Amino acid sequence: MPTYAYACTECDHRFDIVQSFSDDSLTVCPECDGKLRKVFNAVGVVFKGGGFYRTDSRSGSSSSVPASSSSDSGSSKSESSSSSTRSAAADGSAA
């Protein structure tokens, strides 16, 4: 069960309480019967090691478009045009 931190808006009384997720939030201060609010703290997450940044898995080029995709599209076009020329030559028709 999680621990929640509360603070009174009137007397600034602060305390922690263990509550279930299904429990309702506390609304009344046990010290002065004032209004309570939940206190949220920064989450302590630390990322260590490789693989957390976009550039960790990249090699060499720093461009946003990988070099292999731009060169692949050009080579596939020339390959398809040369294969159609070869198939036309095999049929005996002139290109």
Side-chain angles (χ1 to χ4, degrees):
M1 289 202 314
T3 302
Y4 294 100
Y6 287 93
C8 180
T9 58
E10 295 177 22
C11 70
D12 203 34
H13 174 69
R14 295 176 179 263
F15 63 97
D16 296 337
I17 188 166
V18 177
Q19 290 181 299
S20 174
F21 288 112
S22 60
D23 290 345
D24 291 333
S25 296
L26 299 180
T27 57
V28 180
C29 176
E31 297 286 317
C32 71
D33 293 330
K35 187 176 178 182
L36 287 177
R37 65 177 176 86
K38 279 188 179 178
V39 178
F40 296 100
N41 297 319
V43 178
V45 177
V46 178
F47 296 104
K48 294 184 178 181
F52 295 105
Y53 295 98
R54 181 176 175 200
T55 57
D56 283 350
S57 62
R58 310 281 179 172
S59 61
S61 177
S62 63
S63 67
S64 61
V65 177
S68 60
S69 66
S70 61
S71 64
D72 287 344
S73 62
S75 65
S76 63
K77 286 180 184 177
S78 63
E79 185 178 309
S80 62
S81 63
S82 64
S83 63
S84 62
T85 306
R86 276 185 257 136
S87 63
D91 291 339
S93 59

